[in-house]
Amino acid sequence: MSLQTEEIYRTLLLYSADAVIVTDCAGTITTTNPSFAKLVGAAVEELIGTSLANLVVADWEHAEEKTIGQNINADNSEAESAGDTQAVTILSRTGSELIMPAARFPLFNQKSGKPDGHLTIIYVIQANSLQQAQTEFVSTVSHELRTPLTSIKGFADTILRAGDRLDSSQQRRYVGIIKDQADRLTRLVEDLLAVSRLESKKLQLTIRALDLKEAIERVQQNLADKAKKHTVILQIPPGLTPVWADADRLEQILTNLIDNAIKYSQAGTTVTITAKGIQDTPEMVEFSVCDQGVGIPEEHLPQVFSKFGRLDNPLVRQTEGTGLGLYITRSLVLALGGQITVESVPGSTTFTVKLPAATPEQQAARGRG
Ligand code: ADP
């Protein structure tokens, strides 16, 4: 290694916010950096010669180990994937325990090529931003839960206190509000469970060839009551290639998009649902849901797919929603190997979803499997 390269590595080690530890074959620390020392509450010099296993509890046996070369060649997408990191517990000298993502790389002796120990990286920056996102999420969820709960408690208190002094129509109205708010809570909890399933990657998919027209018609029927004041038009060519998807998830995606199109457009307007093959990309099938509603300002378009991304406009304020629907929809589309985009101008919003087509090859492969 040239002197300059060595200097670069030394500086990186010294100033890296991530913790870096080199251990020999016995697991004894031979090199580490101030970031790791700070995590465990000790000085770098004190740590050299001690056993890493006493400071970091990890199940490396079951983790996928990277090799240094693999990492150097990795492109950004690979580097960002959390799949090959594992959660480790850091035991600080103050007695506190921290759980953080980490990865371990085997080291080999340059001359003999024999195993020479390990390089362990603890991703402190990633852990901190995860922690921050989690804190923000908990605070938003608490706020969202408190609003309907306050209303339920307020009206239940009124009924209890005023009792017989309320006439029957007042009583019915208050109980109606309690029921609506309880329904809102149920929806919120269901959406939160869906988010948690998606994020913990526990989503079980049953992929098969599905007729898009049938799925759209089923959802249209389920939403018929909500769409009573709208005209819903289907534009689906005969003989459309089926999609390669999970039936329940496809229905959920369609329900969220069509429900939004109805919610965020005035009565008397039209919602058009189109499905078609894509000329240049025969391996995908596309459908779109287009409304004549309030629209989404261009600068807010990316926000609609984020958690609790409700925009502020009169129609949104009038309608019920958790702000989780499009986040769930986008996650489901991605889980099915598809893409979702949105285009909007005042008076028209179109959500377009592309899903893998059920090509004869896929169906044949399934038959063999
Ligand atoms: P929710 O409908 O429960 O609020 P979503 O995640 O489904 O949550 O949508 C997020 C936000 O995106 C909505 O609150 C609304 O502001 C906006 N939005 C979604 N669909 C449309 C649409 N078709 N037209 C206009 N705005 C929309």
Side-chain angles (χ1 to χ4, degrees), residues 260 263-264 291 296 304 309-311 316 321-323 325-326 349 351:
N260 275 352
K263 274 199 310 194
Y264 302 120
D291 64 58
I296 305 167
V304 298
R310 296 206 90 198
L311 309 179
V316 172
T322 61
L326 284 178
T349 299
F351 282 88

Side-chain angles (χ1 to χ4, degrees), residues 219 222-223 250-261:
V219 172
N222 293 344
L223 293 174
L250 176 63
E251 203 162 297
Q252 199 175 348
I253 293 167
L254 285 164
T255 305
N256 286 353
L257 294 179
I258 301 171
D259 188 40
N260 275 352

Side-chain angles (χ1 to χ4, degrees), residues 136-193:
E136 276 168 23
F137 185 62
V138 169
S139 129
T140 316
V141 169
S142 313
H143 174 80
E144 294 292 323
L145 291 173
R146 203 161 46 206
T147 316
L149 274 176
T150 309
S151 185
I152 290 173
K153 185 173 175 329
F155 283 100
D157 276 348
T158 310
I159 295 171
L160 278 176
R161 251 186 296 111
D164 298 344
R165 276 177 284 128
L166 296 174
D167 64 35
S168 63
S169 84
Q170 275 173 319
Q171 281 189 12
R172 218 170 315 118
R173 197 165 72 81
Y174 293 170
V175 174
I177 294 173
I178 292 176
K179 184 184 173 298
D180 286 348
Q181 294 302 319
D183 285 345
R184 182 172 162 193
L185 271 182
T186 309
R187 268 197 306 274
L188 188 61
V189 171
E190 274 166 6
D191 279 358
L192 286 171
L193 283 173

